[in-house]
Amino acid sequence: MKLRKLAAALAGATALIAGTAISADTTKLRIQTHYAPETVSGKLAAQYMEDIQAMSNGEIEVEMFYSSSVVKSVETFDAAATGILDCDMTGGGYQTGKNSAFQFVGDIMGGYDTPYQQLSWLYFGGGKEAAAPLYNKYGMELIGWWVYGQESFASSKPIEKVEDFKDWKFRSPPGMQTIIFEKLGASPIVMDFTEIFTALETGIIDGADASGLANNVGLGLYDIVKYANFPGFHSMPSDHLACNKAVFDAMPEHHQRIMKVAMEALALRTALTFEKANAEAAAKLRADGVTLSQWSTEELNKFRGAAQAAWGEFADTPEAKALVESHLAYLEQLGLKQ
């Protein structure tokens, strides 16, 4: 009798395990990032993919495309929304031509000082709630952010104060940046992230608003030009992971949660990694003869005032105005509103 009960129990357990294996759902995703695999951010993106595949016990499968190898960086969002890809791992700033509100989830220029402040707005200051309708409007779901911190310029001349922007011809991402820098006397040229190195090398531009110091080193920008500013101050892009909403909604709930919680881990890992990577890059660049300039508080406040003044001018949709109001309220709490 005991043997028969044990056999029945084992049979039941085996059936349960087999049933679980058979009914296990698999999510297959095609994701593109604008980062090259050898950059710090490219390696962090690869770690995220490894994490979600491991945490899902292989149920989430990812085909990853680096360096905007399927479509241009600015086209990644639409490629995911229309099913050419499944997810976009670039940033909202590339979609400002679609709706100015994307500027305020993509790059809040002249706003927060640290990644931690900016992430706290997203997760605890009403940011995700304010951003979700914007992404959903275009058939996408915001999974989360990873913020590497303030960007540094790469330049063929010193950029030490606001006055130095005059007649400076530089690569700019699309969006509000062009308004701010034009008003400060610069000549921004919008071009794809992947075109920066060649444009600097051939002298089409004098400098670039590209990425953080460590990423700029990874791109080889300081092999060409020998001036930078560090710490950065002007721009702190929020790289996002956004997925086709229909694809995301069809995923099992535990896959959705794995992807969102893993993004929070990626956000922390990114901020901590760049604290170290940027400091190491700065030391190496100084040793290699690159001049790094740190802006004074007076000059920083000049830029912050000019940037925040441009927010209202750029925010020309209801979604953008709502996001600006949310940011300004939170910045006032932090003592960063000009």
Side-chain angles (χ1 to χ4, degrees):
M1 180 64 74
K2 288 182 179 179
L3 287 174
R4 282 199 298 271
K5 287 183 178 179
L6 178 59
L10 288 171
T14 302
L16 180 62
I17 293 168
T20 302
I22 291 168
S23 64
D25 293 289
T26 300
T27 296
K28 296 183 179 181
L29 299 172
R30 295 157 298 164
I31 303 176
Q32 176 172 285
T33 180
H34 53 320
Y35 288 115
E38 62 270 16
T39 62
V40 179
S41 288
K43 292 173 183 176
L44 287 164
Q47 180 65 57
Y48 173 81
M49 302 310 158
E50 290 177 18
D51 286 347
I52 63 174
Q53 290 178 96
M55 287 190 286
S56 67
N57 197 29
E59 293 176 11
I60 299 176
E61 299 176 7
V62 177
E63 186 177 7
M64 191 67 186
F65 301 98
Y66 294 93
S67 303
S68 299
S69 58
V70 178
V71 296
K72 290 183 178 180
S73 305
V74 71
E75 297 170 355
T76 310
F77 186 93
D78 284 343
T82 57
I84 296 170
L85 297 164
D86 296 308
C87 300
D88 167 19
M89 205 173 192
T90 60
Y94 284 114
Q95 303 308 312
T96 53
K98 190 185 302 297
N99 188 319
S100 62
F102 280 104
Q103 179 70 55
F104 304 102
V105 294
D107 191 352
I108 306 98
M109 297 191 66
Y112 303 97
D113 281 336
T114 70
Y116 313 104
Q117 292 170 342
Q118 193 156 302
L119 288 164
S120 71
W121 171 79
L122 179 70
Y123 288 108
F124 304 109
K128 285 196 80 172
E129 293 79 6
L134 173 65
Y135 280 81
N136 293 167
K137 180 177 180 178
Y138 297 98
M140 295 287 279
E141 178 79 11
L142 175 62
I143 311 304
W145 278 0
W146 46 319
V147 184
Y148 53 72
Q150 295 285 4
E151 291 193 338
S152 293
F153 296 119
S155 178
S156 59
K157 72 167 192 174
I159 301 294
E160 299 175 339
K161 53 189 181 298
V162 168
E163 188 178 303
D164 293 336
F165 288 134
K166 185 172 175 56
D167 299 324
W168 186 53
K169 188 169 57 176
F170 76 106
R171 180 268 177 181
S172 172
M176 187 171 63
Q177 287 91 326
T178 58
I179 294 176
I180 295 170
F181 284 110
E182 281 174 350
K183 287 189 173 183
L184 294 175
S187 300
I189 299 174
V190 174
M191 66 175 62
D192 195 77
F193 194 82
T194 57
E195 299 171 0
I196 297 170
F197 184 92
T198 302
L200 275 176
E201 193 174 39
T202 56
I204 293 173
I205 53 176
D206 305 316
D209 175 6
S211 188
L213 198 69
N215 272 344
N216 287 347
V217 170
L219 290 168
L221 303 188
Y222 301 115
D223 295 337
I224 305 171
V225 296
K226 300 300 179 182
Y227 293 94
N229 63 302
F230 183 77
F233 65 88
H234 74 287
S235 170
M236 189 159 56
S238 313
D239 289 323
H240 68 200
L241 177 62
C243 294
N244 180 294
K245 183 166 174 55
V247 170
F248 189 77
D249 287 347
M251 290 168 54
E253 193 277 335
H254 66 288
H255 288 186
Q256 295 178 352
R257 184 168 296 192
I258 285 170
M259 290 187 68
K260 290 196 172 186
V261 173
M263 277 304 297
E264 295 181 30
L266 175 60
L268 178 60
R269 187 183 296 122
T270 298
L272 296 176
T273 296
F274 274 92
E275 286 275 349
K276 184 173 186 292
N278 284 337
E280 291 174 345
K284 181 181 185 303
L285 289 173
R286 290 189 183 101
D288 291 343
V290 175
T291 300
L292 304 183
S293 57
Q294 182 173 353
W295 279 41
S296 69
T297 301
E298 180 183 0
E299 293 297 320
L300 290 174
N301 286 337
K302 284 182 187 177
F303 179 82
R304 189 185 294 278
Q308 292 186 18
W311 290 8
E313 178 181 343
F314 193 77
D316 58 1
T317 67
E319 295 89 354
K321 289 173 183 176
L323 283 163
V324 167
E325 288 176 7
S326 177
H327 282 301
L328 289 175
Y330 199 66
L331 286 167
E332 188 164 17
Q333 290 182 40
L334 298 176
L336 296 173
K337 183 180 175 182
Q338 289 295 305

